[in-house]
Amino acid sequence: MSAGIAETRDVYKSTAESVAHLDADVEGMWATEIASIEAALAEHYGDDLTETLTPARDHVELRNLLRAAAPRLTALTDRIRGLFDDGVSGVIVPKLGLEGFELGQQRTGVFALAQLLGDVTPTHPVDNRVIWDVQNHEAGTGHSNFSENDREAEYHTDSALLPIPERFFLLYAVKQATCGGGESYLRDCRVLIRQLRESPEGKAAVEVLRTTELPTRVPKAFRKNAQVEGAYSYRTIIGDTPLWRWRKDKIEAGLVAHPEYATDEVRKALDTVDARLADTTDELREPIPTDGLLIVNNHVALHGRSAFTDPSRHLLRIRFHEPA
Ligand SMILES: [Fe+2]
């Protein structure tokens, strides 16, 4: 996949148009291929293979093993790759075919799919595992991550503080919320920028956010892992790779600590973007159905999630870079 080129394609009239729905023929796919996928993982990881799954020792080697082990899954991921090469901001596969398999096999299957598409990264902040269970853990950990509570997750991009955030993440729904909540939101930033440029204040906002480095508060976990140095990271909101970085709460924290950056110009630009995002006309909003898969180009799309109350809602999240 050629990062950078697809990102600059500005051909979509709306976010909905930039997200592809892929009805894949998955009948019998996993029943045929899951055992050979498990064998490929056992071969690659040897004694290091654990239930939690960690990043590959060698991404290319593992990808080649998986390609040989799972030709139908490989064909599916090649189709997905082609869609992203064409510039889509997201791909939805409404039925992946893993429903009814035990959870461990669902995890293995989704991991193999991600590794066929790219270089899977460890999740943060706890350990080296690559699959994050998106569930309501509020009572337990005390973390403020969107993926660990049931409140609304406002629009953001993932890993916004990293020098190069992962280009992709996927969410697989083991179980969709039955309460009507937990819907995913998406906004294509190419559409967003074009809409902003239609008004003088929007045009000015894009210019300010493209040219002004703003301090963003770095969460402790990133500092602990030494992924980012210092308590604040200084970057522009709008760039080339990624096109947009957005963790509004951390940006606000940065401006509070460094008020010299909170100029009228910057405040106005941020307010203009907030107002644009509050207008949901261009929003793609839908739940990921049980056994459904959503893959997002995190370099061009903002995402969020509505609040939910169903405690059994369970998603798996994996992030990955473009294959090196
Ligand atoms: Fe996220």
Side-chain angles (χ1 to χ4, degrees):
M1 281 176 273
S2 38
I5 295 166
E7 265 71 334
T8 56
R9 277 192 54 164
D10 187 15
V11 294
Y12 299 107
K13 290 189 198 73
S14 66
T15 296
E17 200 183 83
S18 79
V19 175
H21 286 70
L22 185 60
D23 278 310
D25 172 25
V26 292
E27 186 69 42
M29 178 176 80
W30 297 103
T32 319
E33 297 188 344
I34 196 75
S36 46
I37 290 171
E38 286 167 343
L41 295 186
E43 182 180 341
H44 181 79
Y45 289 95
D47 291 343
D48 294 334
L49 183 60
T50 63
E51 250 174 63
T52 50
L53 290 170
T54 52
R57 261 189 293 105
D58 177 332
H59 287 290
V60 177
E61 184 195 295
L62 179 54
R63 200 153 29 247
N64 288 339
L65 284 172
L66 289 169
R67 288 187 79 88
R72 287 186 65 192
L73 180 62
T74 299
L76 172 61
T77 54
D78 286 347
R79 276 181 76 193
I80 294 171
R81 178 187 300 257
L83 290 166
F84 281 113
D85 281 346
D86 284 345
V88 300
S89 63
V91 173
I92 294 171
V93 181
K95 278 274 162 214
L96 191 56
L98 277 169
E99 196 173 8
F101 284 82
E102 58 181 71
L103 182 59
Q105 291 188 314
Q106 293 183 324
R107 301 171 85 86
T108 301
V110 173
F111 170 72
L113 185 148
Q115 184 66 32
L116 281 165
L117 284 168
D119 294 356
V120 168
T121 60
T123 188
H124 81 98
V126 248
D127 52 34
N128 204 29
R129 82 176 78 175
V130 296
I131 298 181
W132 190 251
D133 292 273
V134 185
Q135 283 170 303
N136 181 14
H137 292 303
E138 183 112 278
T141 64
H143 289 132
S144 62
N145 289 340
F146 294 139
S147 59
E148 292 180 81
N149 61 56
D150 56 7
R151 297 185 298 263
E152 182 185 16
E154 293 183 346
Y155 274 118
H156 64 282
T157 60
D158 275 8
S159 304
L161 293 155
L162 296 185
I164 306 278
E166 291 92 342
R167 187 172 173 214
F168 299 102
F169 70 87
L170 66 76
L171 292 168
Y172 171 75
V174 176
K175 185 160 179 328
Q176 175 188 350
T178 52
C179 57
E183 290 180 302
S184 294
Y185 322 147
L186 281 182
R187 294 289 276 271
D188 185 311
C189 296
R190 296 163 295 191
V191 177
L192 179 65
I193 289 172
R194 198 168 62 235
Q195 288 174 332
L196 283 165
R197 284 190 168 138
E198 283 165 9
S199 72
E201 66 273 16
K203 208 182 240 177
V206 170
E207 206 44 35
V208 167
L209 299 181
R210 215 173 54 77
T211 54
T212 316
E213 291 187 342
L214 296 178
T216 300
R217 174 102 184 132
V218 179
K220 267 201 200 95
F222 282 94
R223 278 180 269 159
K224 224 186 275 169
N225 296 350
Q227 286 172 291
V228 181
E229 274 181 42
Y232 294 89
S233 119
Y234 295 79
R235 300 184 196 283
T236 62
I237 304 290
I238 301 175
D240 294 323
T241 310
L243 180 60
W244 200 293
R245 300 173 184 268
W246 195 247
R247 257 311 285 260
K248 191 63 198 310
D249 52 341
K250 308 294 180 202
I251 297 169
E252 287 299 337
L255 292 178
V256 167
H258 297 280
E260 67 276 19
Y261 284 84
T263 60
D264 289 350
E265 207 183 32
V266 164
R267 276 276 159 230
K268 208 173 156 206
L270 294 172
D271 289 348
T272 304
V273 170
D274 278 342
R276 189 70 247 177
L277 288 175
D279 175 346
T280 56
T281 318
D282 184 49
E283 181 168 274
L284 181 85
R285 180 181 178 127
E286 55 185 68
I288 306 170
T290 296
D291 194 40
L293 175 76
L294 168 68
I295 309 177
V296 174
N297 181 338
N298 185 49
H299 285 184
V300 300
L302 299 173
H303 65 281
R305 179 205 67 216
S306 65
F308 60 96
T309 53
D310 180 358
S312 67
R313 179 186 191 264
H314 185 188
L315 267 53
L316 306 179
R317 185 199 67 208
I318 303 178
R319 298 186 182 125
F320 48 102
H321 287 294
E322 194 77 12

mmCIF file of all heavy atoms in Angstrom, residues 136-175:
data_model
loop_
_atom_site.group_PDB
_atom_site.id
_atom_site.type_symbol
_atom_site.label_atom_id
_atom_site.label_comp_id
_atom_site.label_asym_id
_atom_site.label_seq_id
_atom_site.Cartn_x
_atom_site.Cartn_y
_atom_site.Cartn_z
ATOM 1 N N ASN A 136 -16.189 -2.687 28.838
ATOM 2 C CA ASN A 136 -16.298 -1.742 29.938
ATOM 3 C C ASN A 136 -15.582 -2.290 31.168
ATOM 4 O O ASN A 136 -16.086 -3.142 31.864
ATOM 5 C CB ASN A 136 -17.768 -1.463 30.251
ATOM 6 C CG ASN A 136 -17.910 -0.465 31.380
ATOM 7 O OD1 ASN A 136 -16.939 0.200 31.756
ATOM 8 N ND2 ASN A 136 -19.101 -0.346 31.905
ATOM 9 N N HIS A 137 -14.347 -1.752 31.402
ATOM 10 C CA HIS A 137 -13.542 -2.209 32.544
ATOM 11 C C HIS A 137 -13.513 -1.154 33.633
ATOM 12 O O HIS A 137 -12.625 -1.155 34.460
ATOM 13 C CB HIS A 137 -12.077 -2.406 32.121
ATOM 14 C CG HIS A 137 -11.865 -3.537 31.191
ATOM 15 N ND1 HIS A 137 -12.224 -4.822 31.481
ATOM 16 C CD2 HIS A 137 -11.323 -3.575 29.948
ATOM 17 C CE1 HIS A 137 -11.891 -5.606 30.463
ATOM 18 N NE2 HIS A 137 -11.360 -4.876 29.525
ATOM 19 N N GLU A 138 -14.442 -0.193 33.530
ATOM 20 C CA GLU A 138 -14.351 1.019 34.346
ATOM 21 C C GLU A 138 -14.012 0.757 35.809
ATOM 22 O O GLU A 138 -13.132 1.388 36.390
ATOM 23 C CB GLU A 138 -15.671 1.777 34.286
ATOM 24 C CG GLU A 138 -15.613 3.081 35.047
ATOM 25 C CD GLU A 138 -15.689 4.253 34.103
ATOM 26 O OE1 GLU A 138 -14.676 4.625 33.525
ATOM 27 O OE2 GLU A 138 -16.790 4.781 33.960
ATOM 28 N N ALA A 139 -14.705 -0.219 36.399
ATOM 29 C CA ALA A 139 -14.525 -0.457 37.832
ATOM 30 C C ALA A 139 -13.104 -0.916 38.149
ATOM 31 O O ALA A 139 -12.603 -0.702 39.240
ATOM 32 C CB ALA A 139 -15.516 -1.505 38.307
ATOM 33 N N GLY A 140 -12.439 -1.535 37.165
ATOM 34 C CA GLY A 140 -11.154 -2.156 37.438
ATOM 35 C C GLY A 140 -9.934 -1.248 37.406
ATOM 36 O O GLY A 140 -9.326 -0.989 38.436
ATOM 37 N N THR A 141 -9.580 -0.727 36.250
ATOM 38 C CA THR A 141 -8.214 -0.244 36.045
ATOM 39 C C THR A 141 -7.973 1.205 36.431
ATOM 40 O O THR A 141 -6.839 1.576 36.692
ATOM 41 C CB THR A 141 -7.848 -0.366 34.559
ATOM 42 O OG1 THR A 141 -8.720 0.516 33.834
ATOM 43 C CG2 THR A 141 -8.016 -1.778 34.064
ATOM 44 N N GLY A 142 -9.007 2.027 36.398
ATOM 45 C CA GLY A 142 -8.792 3.440 36.673
ATOM 46 C C GLY A 142 -8.192 4.198 35.504
ATOM 47 O O GLY A 142 -7.925 5.386 35.592
ATOM 48 N N HIS A 143 -7.943 3.536 34.368
ATOM 49 C CA HIS A 143 -7.452 4.240 33.180
ATOM 50 C C HIS A 143 -8.579 5.061 32.558
ATOM 51 O O HIS A 143 -9.744 4.740 32.718
ATOM 52 C CB HIS A 143 -6.946 3.244 32.129
ATOM 53 C CG HIS A 143 -5.673 2.574 32.534
ATOM 54 N ND1 HIS A 143 -5.507 1.221 32.450
ATOM 55 C CD2 HIS A 143 -4.530 3.076 33.037
ATOM 56 C CE1 HIS A 143 -4.299 0.914 32.887
ATOM 57 N NE2 HIS A 143 -3.687 2.023 33.249
ATOM 58 N N SER A 144 -8.191 6.093 31.824
ATOM 59 C CA SER A 144 -9.216 6.935 31.212
ATOM 60 C C SER A 144 -9.367 6.632 29.729
ATOM 61 O O SER A 144 -9.954 7.391 28.992
ATOM 62 C CB SER A 144 -8.856 8.409 31.402
ATOM 63 O OG SER A 144 -7.628 8.674 30.744
ATOM 64 N N ASN A 145 -8.810 5.508 29.275
ATOM 65 C CA ASN A 145 -8.883 5.186 27.851
ATOM 66 C C ASN A 145 -10.333 5.024 27.398
ATOM 67 O O ASN A 145 -11.141 4.449 28.110
ATOM 68 C CB ASN A 145 -8.167 3.864 27.556
ATOM 69 C CG ASN A 145 -6.675 4.009 27.679
ATOM 70 O OD1 ASN A 145 -6.161 5.121 27.612
ATOM 71 N ND2 ASN A 145 -5.999 2.902 27.870
ATOM 72 N N PHE A 146 -10.574 5.465 26.144
ATOM 73 C CA PHE A 146 -11.907 5.298 25.572
ATOM 74 C C PHE A 146 -12.279 3.827 25.498
ATOM 75 O O PHE A 146 -13.440 3.463 25.546
ATOM 76 C CB PHE A 146 -11.953 5.867 24.150
ATOM 77 C CG PHE A 146 -11.772 7.357 24.100
ATOM 78 C CD1 PHE A 146 -10.993 7.925 23.106
ATOM 79 C CD2 PHE A 146 -12.390 8.180 25.019
ATOM 80 C CE1 PHE A 146 -10.834 9.290 23.026
ATOM 81 C CE2 PHE A 146 -12.233 9.550 24.948
ATOM 82 C CZ PHE A 146 -11.447 10.114 23.950
ATOM 83 N N SER A 147 -11.257 2.964 25.353
ATOM 84 C CA SER A 147 -11.552 1.551 25.129
ATOM 85 C C SER A 147 -11.834 0.814 26.434
ATOM 86 O O SER A 147 -12.021 -0.377 26.447
ATOM 87 C CB SER A 147 -10.382 0.887 24.401
ATOM 88 O OG SER A 147 -9.207 1.020 25.160
ATOM 89 N N GLU A 148 -11.800 1.520 27.544
ATOM 90 C CA GLU A 148 -11.974 0.829 28.818
ATOM 91 C C GLU A 148 -13.177 1.313 29.607
ATOM 92 O O GLU A 148 -13.282 1.016 30.787
ATOM 93 C CB GLU A 148 -10.720 0.997 29.677
ATOM 94 C CG GLU A 148 -9.528 0.277 29.101
ATOM 95 C CD GLU A 148 -8.296 0.456 29.957
ATOM 96 O OE1 GLU A 148 -8.193 -0.272 30.941
ATOM 97 O OE2 GLU A 148 -7.493 1.333 29.647
ATOM 98 N N ASN A 149 -14.033 2.101 28.993
ATOM 99 C CA ASN A 149 -15.243 2.488 29.710
ATOM 100 C C ASN A 149 -16.413 2.524 28.731
ATOM 101 O O ASN A 149 -16.253 2.258 27.537
ATOM 102 C CB ASN A 149 -15.043 3.838 30.423
ATOM 103 C CG ASN A 149 -14.731 4.954 29.455
ATOM 104 O OD1 ASN A 149 -15.484 5.194 28.528
ATOM 105 N ND2 ASN A 149 -13.616 5.640 29.661
ATOM 106 N N ASP A 150 -17.591 2.857 29.254
ATOM 107 C CA ASP A 150 -18.788 2.755 28.422
ATOM 108 C C ASP A 150 -19.324 4.128 28.012
ATOM 109 O O ASP A 150 -20.414 4.238 27.479
ATOM 110 C CB ASP A 150 -19.874 1.956 29.163
ATOM 111 C CG ASP A 150 -20.213 2.552 30.530
ATOM 112 O OD1 ASP A 150 -19.696 3.648 30.844
ATOM 113 O OD2 ASP A 150 -20.968 1.917 31.287
ATOM 114 N N ARG A 151 -18.541 5.175 28.282
ATOM 115 C CA ARG A 151 -19.010 6.522 27.943
ATOM 116 C C ARG A 151 -18.790 6.794 26.461
ATOM 117 O O ARG A 151 -18.138 6.028 25.761
ATOM 118 C CB ARG A 151 -18.256 7.550 28.787
ATOM 119 C CG ARG A 151 -18.520 7.402 30.280
ATOM 120 C CD ARG A 151 -17.846 8.521 31.046
ATOM 121 N NE ARG A 151 -16.407 8.499 30.893
ATOM 122 C CZ ARG A 151 -15.561 7.954 31.763
ATOM 123 N NH1 ARG A 151 -16.019 7.338 32.836
ATOM 124 N NH2 ARG A 151 -14.260 7.974 31.564
ATOM 125 N N GLU A 152 -19.299 7.937 26.015
ATOM 126 C CA GLU A 152 -19.073 8.306 24.626
ATOM 127 C C GLU A 152 -17.578 8.560 24.400
ATOM 128 O O GLU A 152 -16.905 9.130 25.260
ATOM 129 C CB GLU A 152 -19.854 9.588 24.271
ATOM 130 C CG GLU A 152 -19.659 9.950 22.819
ATOM 131 C CD GLU A 152 -20.306 11.271 22.402
ATOM 132 O OE1 GLU A 152 -20.658 12.066 23.288
ATOM 133 O OE2 GLU A 152 -20.423 11.475 21.193
ATOM 134 N N ALA A 153 -17.063 8.091 23.276
ATOM 135 C CA ALA A 153 -15.696 8.430 22.884
ATOM 136 C C ALA A 153 -15.819 9.500 21.808
ATOM 137 O O ALA A 153 -16.354 9.237 20.736
ATOM 138 C CB ALA A 153 -14.986 7.205 22.342
ATOM 139 N N GLU A 154 -15.373 10.709 22.115
ATOM 140 C CA GLU A 154 -15.472 11.789 21.134
ATOM 141 C C GLU A 154 -14.503 11.518 19.988
ATOM 142 O O GLU A 154 -13.580 10.727 20.112
ATOM 143 C CB GLU A 154 -15.138 13.119 21.819
ATOM 144 C CG GLU A 154 -16.184 13.499 22.834
ATOM 145 C CD GLU A 154 -15.891 14.856 23.465
ATOM 146 O OE1 GLU A 154 -14.760 15.354 23.297
ATOM 147 O OE2 GLU A 154 -16.795 15.380 24.116
ATOM 148 N N TYR A 155 -14.730 12.240 18.899
ATOM 149 C CA TYR A 155 -13.863 12.066 17.736
ATOM 150 C C TYR A 155 -12.396 12.186 18.107
ATOM 151 O O TYR A 155 -11.986 13.092 18.820
ATOM 152 C CB TYR A 155 -14.192 13.115 16.676
ATOM 153 C CG TYR A 155 -15.310 12.677 15.772
ATOM 154 C CD1 TYR A 155 -16.501 13.376 15.714
ATOM 155 C CD2 TYR A 155 -15.161 11.544 14.977
ATOM 156 C CE1 TYR A 155 -17.538 12.950 14.889
ATOM 157 C CE2 TYR A 155 -16.183 11.117 14.152
ATOM 158 C CZ TYR A 155 -17.368 11.819 14.107
ATOM 159 O OH TYR A 155 -18.374 11.398 13.286
ATOM 160 N N HIS A 156 -11.600 11.257 17.610
ATOM 161 C CA HIS A 156 -10.155 11.275 17.842
ATOM 162 C C HIS A 156 -9.474 10.424 16.781
ATOM 163 O O HIS A 156 -10.138 9.724 16.002
ATOM 164 C CB HIS A 156 -9.834 10.723 19.241
ATOM 165 C CG HIS A 156 -10.193 9.282 19.428
ATOM 166 N ND1 HIS A 156 -11.486 8.862 19.659
ATOM 167 C CD2 HIS A 156 -9.445 8.156 19.393
ATOM 168 C CE1 HIS A 156 -11.505 7.548 19.764
ATOM 169 N NE2 HIS A 156 -10.283 7.086 19.600
ATOM 170 N N THR A 157 -8.147 10.504 16.752
ATOM 171 C CA THR A 157 -7.365 9.520 15.998
ATOM 172 C C THR A 157 -6.566 8.716 17.005
ATOM 173 O O THR A 157 -6.254 9.214 18.086
ATOM 174 C CB THR A 157 -6.411 10.190 14.982
ATOM 175 O OG1 THR A 157 -5.506 11.057 15.684
ATOM 176 C CG2 THR A 157 -7.191 10.990 13.945
ATOM 177 N N ASP A 158 -6.226 7.484 16.667
ATOM 178 C CA ASP A 158 -5.472 6.639 17.594
ATOM 179 C C ASP A 158 -3.978 6.974 17.517
ATOM 180 O O ASP A 158 -3.478 7.407 16.470
ATOM 181 C CB ASP A 158 -5.683 5.153 17.265
ATOM 182 C CG ASP A 158 -6.950 4.608 17.924
ATOM 183 O OD1 ASP A 158 -7.717 5.404 18.501
ATOM 184 O OD2 ASP A 158 -7.158 3.380 17.860
ATOM 185 N N SER A 159 -3.289 6.770 18.632
ATOM 186 C CA SER A 159 -1.824 6.961 18.704
ATOM 187 C C SER A 159 -1.400 8.334 18.201
ATOM 188 O O SER A 159 -0.333 8.475 17.591
ATOM 189 C CB SER A 159 -1.090 5.869 17.905
ATOM 190 O OG SER A 159 -1.461 4.590 18.340
ATOM 191 N N ALA A 160 -2.220 9.351 18.457
ATOM 192 C CA ALA A 160 -1.980 10.686 17.899
ATOM 193 C C ALA A 160 -0.647 11.275 18.358
ATOM 194 O O ALA A 160 -0.117 12.183 17.719
ATOM 195 C CB ALA A 160 -3.130 11.617 18.279
ATOM 196 N N LEU A 161 -0.095 10.766 19.453
ATOM 197 C CA LEU A 161 1.137 11.340 19.997
ATOM 198 C C LEU A 161 2.396 10.705 19.432
ATOM 199 O O LEU A 161 3.485 11.205 19.638
ATOM 200 C CB LEU A 161 1.134 11.172 21.517
ATOM 201 C CG LEU A 161 0.039 12.020 22.154
ATOM 202 C CD1 LEU A 161 -0.386 11.446 23.465
ATOM 203 C CD2 LEU A 161 0.520 13.440 22.287
ATOM 204 N N LEU A 162 2.255 9.582 18.749
ATOM 205 C CA LEU A 162 3.436 8.920 18.210
ATOM 206 C C LEU A 162 3.950 9.684 16.986
ATOM 207 O O LEU A 162 3.163 10.314 16.273
ATOM 208 C CB LEU A 162 3.113 7.478 17.809
ATOM 209 C CG LEU A 162 2.695 6.534 18.938
ATOM 210 C CD1 LEU A 162 2.530 5.118 18.396
ATOM 211 C CD2 LEU A 162 3.710 6.552 20.070
ATOM 212 N N PRO A 163 5.260 9.621 16.747
ATOM 213 C CA PRO A 163 5.808 10.306 15.550
ATOM 214 C C PRO A 163 5.046 9.892 14.288
ATOM 215 O O PRO A 163 4.623 10.722 13.505
ATOM 216 C CB PRO A 163 7.262 9.842 15.516
ATOM 217 C CG PRO A 163 7.591 9.491 16.938
ATOM 218 C CD PRO A 163 6.316 8.985 17.553
ATOM 219 N N ILE A 164 4.885 8.591 14.091
ATOM 220 C CA ILE A 164 4.025 8.068 13.005
ATOM 221 C C ILE A 164 3.010 7.127 13.642
ATOM 222 O O ILE A 164 3.322 5.984 13.966
ATOM 223 C CB ILE A 164 4.826 7.285 11.937
ATOM 224 C CG1 ILE A 164 5.968 8.110 11.372
ATOM 225 C CG2 ILE A 164 3.876 6.804 10.841
ATOM 226 C CD1 ILE A 164 5.606 9.085 10.281
ATOM 227 N N PRO A 165 1.778 7.586 13.807
ATOM 228 C CA PRO A 165 0.739 6.684 14.332
ATOM 229 C C PRO A 165 0.519 5.534 13.348
ATOM 230 O O PRO A 165 0.779 5.673 12.156
ATOM 231 C CB PRO A 165 -0.509 7.571 14.389
ATOM 232 C CG PRO A 165 -0.013 8.979 14.278
ATOM 233 C CD PRO A 165 1.271 8.927 13.510
ATOM 234 N N GLU A 166 0.039 4.399 13.845
ATOM 235 C CA GLU A 166 -0.292 3.297 12.951
ATOM 236 C C GLU A 166 -1.268 3.794 11.886
ATOM 237 O O GLU A 166 -2.194 4.549 12.192
ATOM 238 C CB GLU A 166 -0.968 2.147 13.718
ATOM 239 C CG GLU A 166 -0.060 1.410 14.680
ATOM 240 C CD GLU A 166 -0.104 1.991 16.085
ATOM 241 O OE1 GLU A 166 -0.555 3.155 16.249
ATOM 242 O OE2 GLU A 166 0.318 1.297 17.030
ATOM 243 N N ARG A 167 -1.063 3.349 10.650
ATOM 244 C CA ARG A 167 -1.966 3.800 9.583
ATOM 245 C C ARG A 167 -3.336 3.138 9.711
ATOM 246 O O ARG A 167 -4.342 3.696 9.287
ATOM 247 C CB ARG A 167 -1.359 3.484 8.211
ATOM 248 C CG ARG A 167 -2.165 4.075 7.068
ATOM 249 C CD ARG A 167 -1.464 3.927 5.728
ATOM 250 N NE ARG A 167 -2.358 4.358 4.650
ATOM 251 C CZ ARG A 167 -2.385 3.807 3.446
ATOM 252 N NH1 ARG A 167 -1.567 2.827 3.153
ATOM 253 N NH2 ARG A 167 -3.234 4.240 2.543
ATOM 254 N N PHE A 168 -3.362 1.954 10.336
ATOM 255 C CA PHE A 168 -4.631 1.219 10.394
ATOM 256 C C PHE A 168 -4.951 0.711 11.797
ATOM 257 O O PHE A 168 -4.046 0.436 12.577
ATOM 258 C CB PHE A 168 -4.577 -0.014 9.478
ATOM 259 C CG PHE A 168 -4.357 0.308 8.039
ATOM 260 C CD1 PHE A 168 -3.103 0.145 7.470
ATOM 261 C CD2 PHE A 168 -5.391 0.787 7.255
ATOM 262 C CE1 PHE A 168 -2.888 0.452 6.130
ATOM 263 C CE2 PHE A 168 -5.185 1.093 5.913
ATOM 264 C CZ PHE A 168 -3.924 0.926 5.358
ATOM 265 N N PHE A 169 -6.253 0.594 12.069
ATOM 266 C CA PHE A 169 -6.665 -0.256 13.175
ATOM 267 C C PHE A 169 -7.923 -0.984 12.746
ATOM 268 O O PHE A 169 -8.640 -0.537 11.839
ATOM 269 C CB PHE A 169 -6.893 0.543 14.477
ATOM 270 C CG PHE A 169 -8.098 1.434 14.460
ATOM 271 C CD1 PHE A 169 -9.346 0.952 14.820
ATOM 272 C CD2 PHE A 169 -7.994 2.754 14.062
ATOM 273 C CE1 PHE A 169 -10.469 1.768 14.796
ATOM 274 C CE2 PHE A 169 -9.105 3.582 14.032
ATOM 275 C CZ PHE A 169 -10.344 3.092 14.399
ATOM 276 N N LEU A 170 -8.150 -2.129 13.388
ATOM 277 C CA LEU A 170 -9.385 -2.852 13.098
ATOM 278 C C LEU A 170 -10.140 -3.108 14.384
ATOM 279 O O LEU A 170 -9.553 -3.188 15.470
ATOM 280 C CB LEU A 170 -9.107 -4.160 12.343
ATOM 281 C CG LEU A 170 -8.349 -5.313 13.011
ATOM 282 C CD1 LEU A 170 -9.216 -6.079 14.011
ATOM 283 C CD2 LEU A 170 -7.888 -6.294 11.933
ATOM 284 N N LEU A 171 -11.436 -3.206 14.243
ATOM 285 C CA LEU A 171 -12.308 -3.597 15.349
ATOM 286 C C LEU A 171 -13.158 -4.761 14.867
ATOM 287 O O LEU A 171 -13.797 -4.675 13.813
ATOM 288 C CB LEU A 171 -13.224 -2.434 15.755
ATOM 289 C CG LEU A 171 -12.567 -1.218 16.404
ATOM 290 C CD1 LEU A 171 -13.557 -0.059 16.472
ATOM 291 C CD2 LEU A 171 -12.050 -1.559 17.801
ATOM 292 N N TYR A 172 -13.133 -5.849 15.628
ATOM 293 C CA TYR A 172 -13.980 -6.996 15.330
ATOM 294 C C TYR A 172 -14.977 -7.133 16.473
ATOM 295 O O TYR A 172 -14.588 -7.110 17.646
ATOM 296 C CB TYR A 172 -13.142 -8.282 15.205
ATOM 297 C CG TYR A 172 -14.007 -9.520 15.104
ATOM 298 C CD1 TYR A 172 -14.681 -9.822 13.931
ATOM 299 C CD2 TYR A 172 -14.168 -10.372 16.201
ATOM 300 C CE1 TYR A 172 -15.494 -10.946 13.840
ATOM 301 C CE2 TYR A 172 -14.985 -11.501 16.120
ATOM 302 C CZ TYR A 172 -15.646 -11.779 14.937
ATOM 303 O OH TYR A 172 -16.466 -12.879 14.853
ATOM 304 N N ALA A 173 -16.262 -7.252 16.150
ATOM 305 C CA ALA A 173 -17.285 -7.345 17.197
ATOM 306 C C ALA A 173 -17.556 -8.800 17.549
ATOM 307 O O ALA A 173 -18.212 -9.530 16.794
ATOM 308 C CB ALA A 173 -18.569 -6.656 16.757
ATOM 309 N N VAL A 174 -17.018 -9.220 18.691
ATOM 310 C CA VAL A 174 -17.375 -10.535 19.235
ATOM 311 C C VAL A 174 -18.849 -10.490 19.615
ATOM 312 O O VAL A 174 -19.604 -11.418 19.370
ATOM 313 C CB VAL A 174 -16.522 -10.860 20.488
ATOM 314 C CG1 VAL A 174 -16.954 -12.176 21.124
ATOM 315 C CG2 VAL A 174 -15.037 -10.889 20.127
ATOM 316 N N LYS A 175 -19.239 -9.336 20.203
ATOM 317 C CA LYS A 175 -20.635 -9.168 20.575
ATOM 318 C C LYS A 175 -21.031 -7.690 20.519
ATOM 319 O O LYS A 175 -20.460 -6.864 21.227
ATOM 320 C CB LYS A 175 -20.875 -9.723 21.978
ATOM 321 C CG LYS A 175 -22.330 -9.678 22.326
ATOM 322 C CD LYS A 175 -22.715 -10.605 23.440
ATOM 323 C CE LYS A 175 -24.211 -10.464 23.751
ATOM 324 N NZ LYS A 175 -24.775 -9.123 23.548
#
